[in-house]
Amino acid sequence: MPTKIEIDPLTRIEGHLAIKLEIESGQVAKAYCSGEMFRGFENILRGRSPMDAQQITQRICGVCPISHGMASLKAQEQAYNLTLTDNGRLTRNLILGANYIQSHLVHFYHLSALDFVDITAILNYGGSDATLKGLQAWVKAQLDSQTMFPAAPFLPRYNGDYLPNLDANIGAIKDYVDALEMRAVAQEALALFGAKAPHATALIPGGITEKVTAKKIAAYGSILSRLRSFIDRIYIPDVVAVASAFPAYFKVGRGCGNFLAYGVFDQDNGGHLLPAGRIKQGALSSTDPAQISEDTSHAFFSSQSGLHPYQGQTEPSPHKPGAYSWLKAPRYEGQPYEVGPLARMLVAHQKGHAQAKPMIDKLLGDLGLEATALDSVMGRHAARALECKLVADACAQWLDKLQPGQPTFTDFEIPASGKGAGLTEAPRGALGHWIEIADHKIKNYQCVVPTTWNGSPRDSNGVPGPMEQALEGTPVVDSNNPLEAARVVRSFDPCLACAVH
Amino acid sequence: MFKFNRRQFLKMGASLAAAMGLEPASVPRIVEALSELSSGQAPVLWLQGQSCSGCSVSLLNTENPSPSEVLTQYISLLFHSTLSAATGHTAMEVVEKSIEAGGYYLAVEGALPAGMPQACVMGHKPVTELVARAARKAKAVICVGTCAAYGGIPAAENNPTGSVSVAEFLKKEGNTAPIIRLPGCPSHPDWVVGTLVHVIKFGLPKLDEDGRPEVFYGRFLHDQCPRFADYERENFAQTFSGEGCLFKLGCLGPVTKADCTTRLWNRGANTCIMAGAPCIGCASEIFAKSPSLPFYRKGESK
């Protein structure tokens, strides 16, 4: 008989997620991922002005609002037949780029690191760094106090095989604190062109409302140089250090073997910085959005299963028999696909991307790994870190191309009817918004979001979603402390508010 | 807790006082508040309902005090779904034992699906039930963000979950703990940190009829607008990214109470109207409520 355990709630992700596991012979035999929160954005958008959408959909997620804004704008701009000015395209890349950097830093340091780093190591710190000494005093005072949960929110935690090395732990704790500051300044850079973060109001069909000035270019550049330095000198080395300390996690968390990317960051040649593509069991091919559908057989929706997003429906049915998640199950040609930085980096690598390929090859060489090892927990962390550098480096080039005084906005009219698909990439993976306009209003709006792909429940063929498949085979040493399974789930950087919306 | 000398505390107190718009004479009492907080006497339990976590992300954008200072010196954050090391049954144990003990400040982010409690569940428990129980033992309930304060987007027209604001939900539950509303999509970090410190030391800040601290929400945006002179001169922007008052593009500054035009967002980097973006009323009760009140006014083709 398998042992049934639950990780409910799975914290340090965005949103409400429950994981149910069946453990046999010390490893996960079956896994079920349940999205636990539903708001009904697609229902709320119906009947509204189309231009409400890039603001409302940003509120799907406070961690990656810009990606939803971009997907909505792309869908609308297709429907309005609009092209951007160079300044409009570049400032949007800079806004999105800053959001990527913020999101990737938060994911590694503030969401994932506590699965690997031993926070209690601070008690043995003997150095003189003011921040660390302050933290040490705080943890000591907390542990000495009568408080029920001392050093919350950093304790309590699962017992497990945390980093044993004192210096490595101390370094990581310092970087956790510094990364808090770095993610905040990334948001500051975003706001220079986006007005505010999260939820940027400067995003508008036809470009952005903000203007380009020399001062803004200099301010963004100043922040970007701090961020690039942190990524190069701290973030990537920290990921490599954790990867080196936990080499087994290049073998744990292998997903469904299919990867999908829509492409993101529009370049002046009409292409993308991070290319579109699809890898099916190792073979690279192209992406055709017509092949996307959403299965609802195990989701809390009475809506018809297998519809393309243009026809998609979202009718809740919270007591539906056999359903166990608020996530629909997106499928491409009926198959589950993993999306995210790993998918993007694998597609870029296979396409021989000028920056991505040498970066990935060097990392694999340094760690003595084959490319197949990337389909794993550590592979996902490594791909995210390398992508963060790639995006930050590209931001510097986009910034150089901005022209002060030139327009960032192209005017337009909203047609009485139209359709548009906005395909882009959020930090967590392939993101699509589909809009249908009738009588100047939104007739239908559907979002298929990265974690909808990765965290999807089983489909009508009983095929588990990518995260569920990645959990299968994961060793769990202590079923009261299923830290290994939590590490697998967090490697996907799940965002549940996004996934269900 | 970091050991701070009095000079450092005074410095922090002064920056907080400035952030809260208080007279310098109040600084010593704030210093005391911070000392009290740092001894672990200000536990905060943070629960998320139908939220996007944007108010949590925004709170981490706080500058003075910094995010790490907030976490280690200002509040004792018992539980926060996005930050807590505790996960699974360990997390539920923290939440349940905290509720049992009581005496915390309850911060809630997100609206609540009163008509469909299954639409927001944590540890097999509807979050509606957790919030109702947690509020009974709270010293005060802080509704962080427009969703918790007024319902926001989850509670907009045509929403399928019977979603309501936390404030409305608790009123129906017969809650007696003081309720403070900090609307904003997201709520500004100064509004959250400034209010927490005020509640703990000075008691309730002066609230308006809606339960909003007057120091942050006392005036309409329009009255503090950097483009007010354009409005007076009837110099109206005709297109997005244009010069002039944004009223004719749909700006909701005249009906939105908040101080973002003077406080600015993201450490002073910018704010909507400075960036040419009409105020969409994200801190107002009517935010996103109805399709009949779109964010923008824009010519439609025939």
Side-chain angles (χ1 to χ4, degrees):
Chain A
M1 277 293 285
T3 313
K4 291 188 179 183
I5 60 170
E6 295 185 3
I7 310 177
D8 180 7
L10 193 131
T11 57
R12 273 183 290 114
I13 56 155
E14 195 297 321
H16 299 266
L17 173 66
I19 302 290
K20 295 177 179 66
L21 302 172
E22 295 180 12
I23 311 285
E24 275 182 89
S25 316
Q27 61 179 37
V28 176
K30 281 184 181 167
Y32 299 85
C33 298
S34 302
E36 301 270 79
M37 192 276 280
F38 168 66
R39 288 169 292 175
F41 270 74
E42 291 151 342
N43 314 57
I44 290 164
L45 281 162
R46 283 189 181 169
R48 284 183 181 260
S49 161
M51 282 179 66
D52 280 4
Q54 83 277 355
Q55 288 304 326
I56 288 187
T57 59
Q58 281 194 69
R59 272 77 179 177
I60 287 174
C61 177
V63 189
C64 57
I66 302 306
S67 297
H68 286 285
M70 295 295 175
S72 183
L73 291 172
K74 280 176 172 288
Q76 290 181 63
E77 284 157 3
Q78 195 177 85
Y80 308 163
N81 195 21
L82 252 177
T83 11
L84 302 190
T85 63
D86 280 346
N87 267 359
R89 176 180 57 81
L90 293 165
T91 47
R92 280 201 193 164
N93 282 351
L94 292 168
I95 291 168
L96 183 61
N99 199 176
Y100 263 65
I101 296 168
Q102 186 259 165
S103 184
H104 285 1
L105 290 178
V106 166
H107 175 259
F108 182 70
Y109 286 103
H110 310 121
L111 305 183
S112 296
L114 295 179
D115 286 342
F116 299 100
V117 174
D118 181 9
I119 184 93
T120 63
I122 193 76
L123 293 170
N124 300 317
Y125 178 62
S128 57
D129 180 272
T131 305
L132 290 172
K133 280 176 75 178
L135 255 181
Q136 183 181 46
W138 175 69
V139 173
K140 272 187 181 158
Q142 286 274 306
L143 292 174
D144 290 344
S145 74
Q146 298 303 306
T147 314
M148 190 159 41
F149 296 110
F154 304 107
L155 294 173
R157 58 174 184 181
Y158 279 157
N159 300 324
D161 58 334
Y162 295 95
L163 266 178
N165 180 294
L166 177 66
D167 288 344
N169 278 309
I170 297 293
I173 293 167
K174 173 84 161 73
D175 298 342
Y176 177 106
V177 176
D178 289 347
L180 280 170
E181 176 66 10
M182 287 296 122
R183 63 149 298 286
V185 299
Q187 297 253 288
E188 194 179 332
L190 193 167
L192 287 169
F193 294 111
K196 79 186 215 296
H199 306 326
T201 43
L203 299 185
I204 202 86
I208 64 166
T209 63
E210 181 56 284
K211 296 178 188 337
V212 172
T213 62
K215 173 68 172 68
K216 281 194 181 286
I217 295 172
Y220 192 107
S222 165
I223 294 171
L224 182 62
S225 62
R226 286 176 69 192
L227 290 169
R228 290 174 75 193
S229 165
F230 186 83
I231 294 164
D232 290 348
R233 295 189 308 106
I234 311 288
Y235 177 27
I236 292 177
D238 276 349
V239 172
V240 171
V242 170
S244 307
F246 293 87
Y249 281 89
F250 277 109
K251 295 194 176 106
V252 173
R254 183 169 301 274
C256 61
N258 298 331
F259 299 93
L260 179 69
Y262 295 154
V264 66
F265 294 110
D266 296 346
Q267 301 283 50
D268 49 11
N269 60 6
H272 298 110
L273 172 73
L274 303 174
R278 184 167 61 90
I279 298 172
K280 187 179 182 185
Q281 304 301 320
L284 181 71
S285 62
S286 60
T287 302
D288 172 15
Q291 303 305 320
I292 296 165
S293 62
E294 289 195 294
D295 188 297
T296 56
S297 52
H298 292 86
F300 293 119
F301 300 103
S302 59
S303 319
Q304 191 185 329
S305 198
L307 296 176
H308 183 271
Y310 266 136
Q311 283 80 46
Q313 299 161 6
T314 308
E315 293 312 317
S317 177
H319 302 291
K320 178 172 150 182
Y324 64 91
S325 180
W326 282 103
L327 277 72
K328 296 177 186 172
R331 295 291 185 260
Y332 187 99
E333 290 176 339
Q335 301 295 313
Y337 272 77
E338 176 173 342
V339 300
L342 176 60
R344 288 189 291 258
M345 288 294 103
L346 288 178
V347 167
H349 188 254
Q350 284 218 18
K351 287 193 158 183
H353 190 282
Q355 291 87 41
K357 188 167 189 312
M359 268 163 58
I360 294 166
D361 287 340
K362 180 174 185 307
L363 181 91
L364 290 170
D366 289 352
L367 293 168
L369 295 168
E370 298 294 321
T372 49
L374 290 171
D375 186 358
S376 64
V377 167
M378 279 306 154
R380 290 186 191 97
H381 286 295
R384 197 172 284 110
L386 294 182
E387 178 180 85
C388 195
K389 172 175 171 53
L390 212 149
V391 170
D393 290 353
C395 282
Q397 294 171 9
W398 296 321
L399 195 66
D400 269 350
K401 291 180 181 163
L402 284 179
Q403 292 295 325
Q406 294 300 307
T408 52
F409 171 72
T410 311
D411 207 1
F412 61 94
E413 290 188 322
I414 299 176
S417 63
K419 278 170 102 170
L423 300 181
T424 182
E425 291 276 330
R428 288 160 189 76
L431 170 66
H433 285 198
W434 283 263
I435 190 171
E436 186 181 355
I437 299 165
D439 199 16
H440 300 290
K441 299 280 188 266
I442 296 172
K443 186 181 175 201
N444 201 17
Y445 202 103
Q446 288 284 313
C447 313
V448 182
V449 185
T451 302
T452 332
W453 286 99
N454 289 339
S456 79
R458 283 156 173 71
D459 57 31
S460 56
N461 297 319
V463 177
M467 249 157 57
E468 295 178 333
Q469 290 194 34
L471 279 162
E472 287 176 9
T474 300
V476 174
V477 172
D478 172 4
S479 54
N480 284 319
N481 292 280
L483 180 59
E484 303 91 340
R487 286 169 174 165
V488 171
V489 174
R490 289 197 183 101
S491 72
F492 284 88
D493 192 5
C495 177
L496 271 292
C498 273
V500 182
H501 45 271
Chain B
M1 196 63 52
F2 288 112
K3 298 291 181 213
F4 270 82
N5 62 35
R6 184 162 175 82
R7 199 174 135 262
Q8 286 167 312
F9 259 128
L10 276 170
K11 200 175 143 213
M12 283 192 292
S15 66
L16 255 180
M20 294 164 63
L22 295 174
E23 294 301 314
S26 63
V27 168
R29 291 185 67 196
I30 295 187
V31 170
E32 216 178 301
L34 299 188
S35 312
E36 192 177 305
L37 283 167
S38 69
S39 58
Q41 293 177 5
V44 173
L45 179 62
W46 189 293
L47 295 176
Q48 293 180 328
Q50 291 172 297
S51 91
C52 71
S53 302
C55 290
S56 296
V57 170
S58 182
L59 180 60
L60 290 178
N61 290 339
T62 176
E63 185 172 20
N64 290 315
S66 74
S68 50
E69 285 169 340
V70 169
L71 289 178
T72 58
Q73 300 165 28
Y74 289 72
I75 58 174
S76 176
L77 190 57
L78 297 171
F79 179 75
H80 187 299
S81 186
T82 321
L83 293 171
S84 281
T87 198
H89 67 274
T90 319
M92 285 314 288
E93 200 178 303
V94 171
V95 171
E96 289 294 354
K97 284 193 172 165
S98 297
I99 293 177
E100 204 180 302
Y104 44 77
Y105 299 91
L106 176 65
V108 188
E109 177 180 7
L112 292 171
M116 191 189 282
Q118 307 86 348
C120 190
V121 176
M122 183 169 107
H124 294 284
K125 296 189 171 88
V127 172
T128 44
E129 182 214 308
L130 277 175
V131 169
R133 276 200 288 129
R136 274 176 227 139
K137 297 283 199 72
K139 285 187 186 169
V141 180
I142 302 170
C143 303
V144 183
T146 300
C147 297
Y150 291 125
I153 292 170
E157 270 180 40
N158 303 324
N159 86 79
T161 65
S163 178
V164 297
S165 70
V166 172
E168 189 183 331
F169 175 79
L170 290 178
K171 213 169 165 184
K172 283 190 184 140
E173 289 282 312
N175 168 74
T176 51
I179 291 179
I180 299 171
R181 284 179 161 122
L182 301 178
C185 193
S187 197
H188 195 294
D190 288 358
W191 302 342
V192 181
V193 174
T195 301
L196 270 171
V197 175
H198 201 295
V199 168
I200 289 157
K201 187 59 186 178
F202 300 92
L204 283 181
K206 194 172 179 213
L207 304 175
D208 67 10
E209 68 282 1
D210 267 11
R212 296 172 294 189
E214 282 194 354
V215 61
F216 304 124
Y217 301 94
R219 296 172 69 197
F220 287 105
L221 225 86
H222 181 62
D223 302 342
Q224 313 164 80
C225 183
R227 299 188 186 217
F228 190 79
D230 288 313
Y231 168 80
E232 292 276 278
R233 290 175 191 143
E234 299 187 18
N235 175 27
F236 294 104
Q238 301 300 319
T239 63
F240 294 112
S241 197
E243 301 296 336
C245 169
L246 304 170
F247 182 71
K248 290 192 172 173
L249 298 173
C251 184
L252 292 175
V255 296
T256 304
K257 284 184 166 179
D259 63 5
C260 20
T261 46
T262 50
R263 184 171 302 284
L264 309 184
W265 289 90
N266 303 100
R267 306 177 167 195
N270 215 339
T271 192
C272 307
I273 289 169
M274 274 170 58
C279 169
I280 61 171
C282 80
S284 78
E285 185 170 8
I286 58 167
F287 175 60
K289 272 278 150 62
S290 169
S292 63
L293 188 66
F295 294 143
Y296 308 101
R297 277 190 275 167
K298 170 82 189 146
E300 294 170 343
S301 64
K302 300 298 164 207

